[in-house]
Amino acid sequence: MQIFLIAGEKSRAASAFPEAQFFFARGIFLIRDEVDWKDNYRMCVDCYSKAAETAALTGDYEKMDEWLNIVLLRSKELDDQLRAYYIRVKALASQAEMEPAV
């Protein structure tokens, strides 16, 4: 999972957003529900959050919502929840949907 997270980060840094989304999605695919969320919490949150943010950048708002909902359901820390809501608000604002954003 970590290798896909790193590859996604490098792709995103190079503005290769579809490739970054692919790598983050592969990392998510490898997450084994409870085991990884317990043992690798930070990596799981980062993978889902970065995948959601990248999905928003590529216009895949359905996937973004799916991944953010998982972060919101499984997050243990307020900072992780705030990050998810921030990503969602930025995506809504970029779609000129200001009413749901506030």
Side-chain angles (χ1 to χ4, degrees):
M1 172 177 37
Q2 185 175 8
I3 193 147
F4 289 111
L5 182 60
I6 293 168
E9 290 169 341
K10 289 184 183 265
S11 296
R12 196 170 71 171
S15 297
F17 301 122
E19 291 79 5
Q21 186 175 350
F22 170 81
F23 288 124
F24 291 133
R26 288 297 146 251
I28 287 170
F29 178 76
L30 295 176
I31 293 174
R32 299 166 301 172
D33 288 331
E34 299 303 321
V35 175
D36 281 328
W37 278 98
K38 183 180 178 220
D39 296 341
N40 298 307
Y41 174 78
R42 177 57 38 213
M43 198 179 317
C44 290
V45 168
D46 284 347
C47 204
Y48 272 95
S49 297
K50 291 176 181 185
E53 194 168 27
T54 306
L57 292 170
T58 62
D60 191 351
Y61 299 108
E62 188 175 311
K63 266 300 188 198
M64 178 203 74
D65 277 332
E66 177 185 331
W67 289 329
L68 288 178
N69 287 336
I70 292 169
V71 170
L72 292 169
L73 285 172
R74 294 189 172 265
S75 59
K76 299 177 188 174
E77 300 175 14
L78 180 60
D79 286 349
D80 298 328
Q81 293 172 1
L82 291 174
R83 180 179 177 193
Y85 284 121
Y86 179 71
I87 293 167
R88 183 168 282 154
V89 168
K90 280 190 344 184
L92 289 169
S94 74
Q95 299 173 62
E97 294 188 31
M98 296 308 289
E99 187 68 31
V102 283

